Amino acid sequence: MTRPLRLVAVSGGLQRPSKAAALAEHLMDLIADEVLCEQRLVELGQLAPQLAGAVWRSQLPETVERELAAVEQADIVVVTTPVYRGSYTGLFKHFFDFIHQDALIDKPVLLAATGGSERHALMIDHQLRPLFSFFQARTLPLGVYATDKDFLDYRLQDEALLQRAALAVQRALPLIGLTRHARPATTQELAAA
């Protein structure tokens, strides 16, 4: 029996409700419609007080450590962040500063961002893609960028954006499929074999 893939989304949104979190949940649901997976959403806005002042991972409380471990152990990662001054939020970067530099090697990562206008759309390729290239992750071919007008009550409502999100996931499926075949078996799977 094949175990579900671990799908973890990280939302850099600082408030709740958050458009970044809504976009992350939408993308996770699209992936889950195609691939058997367990979903988990990490909302950095909720972790902010616990991340503040920490310079070393050993200084972080257990709640943050669990979320870092979830990202490191994920089979697929979705990242979303609001654009802040032309880039991802400082909290988003601070969180990923604690991720082990080898933890995301060859993992598929779907990049997404939200912003007030279209003028920040290239942030995905100019900011997020280089960050995850450092981790040697497999950044997926299409990123998804949403503006304020694409949402209604924190739900995606723009048809063109919905189609782009669906296309991003469809183009990601071959790489996600490789993940299933490349990942080592867990202890429980080995025992069951």
Side-chain angles (χ1 to χ4, degrees):
M1 183 171 137
T2 304
R3 106 170 144 73
L5 292 177
R6 293 175 297 242
L7 170 59
V8 178
V10 178
S11 167
L14 303 179
Q15 52 197 1
R16 189 183 267 179
S18 159
K19 291 178 183 127
L23 180 56
E25 289 177 318
H26 182 77
L27 292 168
M28 282 197 306
D29 289 344
L30 289 174
I31 294 169
D33 287 346
E34 301 290 337
V35 178
L36 178 65
C37 57
E38 299 169 349
Q39 299 178 45
R40 181 179 188 141
L41 175 63
V42 177
E43 293 184 79
L44 298 186
Q46 304 303 304
L47 296 178
Q50 300 167 59
L51 276 165
V55 177
W56 307 108
R57 190 162 171 168
S58 60
Q59 297 171 318
L60 294 169
E62 184 58 33
T63 52
V64 178
E65 180 57 42
R66 274 194 303 272
E67 302 296 14
L68 290 166
V71 173
E72 291 174 339
Q73 295 166 10
D75 297 304
I76 311 159
V77 179
V78 172
V79 296
T80 63
T81 180
V83 177
Y84 183 73
R85 299 191 183 207
S87 187
Y88 36 75
T89 64
L91 185 62
F92 183 88
K93 178 65 165 68
H94 189 54
F95 180 82
F96 278 96
D97 282 344
F98 291 117
I99 295 288
H100 190 278
Q101 70 181 27
D102 296 331
L104 302 181
I105 291 175
D106 291 333
K107 287 188 186 181
V109 178
L110 179 55
L111 308 173
T114 61
S117 72
E118 297 289 340
R119 69 184 183 146
H120 297 297
L122 288 175
M123 177 276 217
I124 290 173
D125 290 318
H126 291 261
Q127 303 294 321
L128 286 174
R129 204 168 295 281
L131 174 63
F132 289 95
S133 291
F134 164 80
F135 285 111
Q136 301 175 59
R138 292 182 191 260
T139 56
L140 298 172
L142 281 181
V144 180
Y145 181 80
T147 64
D148 291 345
K149 69 176 177 48
D150 296 323
F151 292 89
L152 179 64
D153 296 326
Y154 293 93
R155 296 185 71 123
L156 294 172
Q157 56 98 25
D158 181 77
E159 189 57 37
L161 176 67
L162 291 168
Q163 289 177 6
R164 180 161 178 98
L167 181 60
V169 169
Q170 287 303 310
R171 293 224 178 129
L173 290 176
L175 291 171
I176 291 171
L178 290 174
T179 299
R180 179 172 295 288
H181 300 297
R183 79 170 173 78
T186 65
T187 306
Q188 292 88 359
E189 289 172 335
L190 291 173

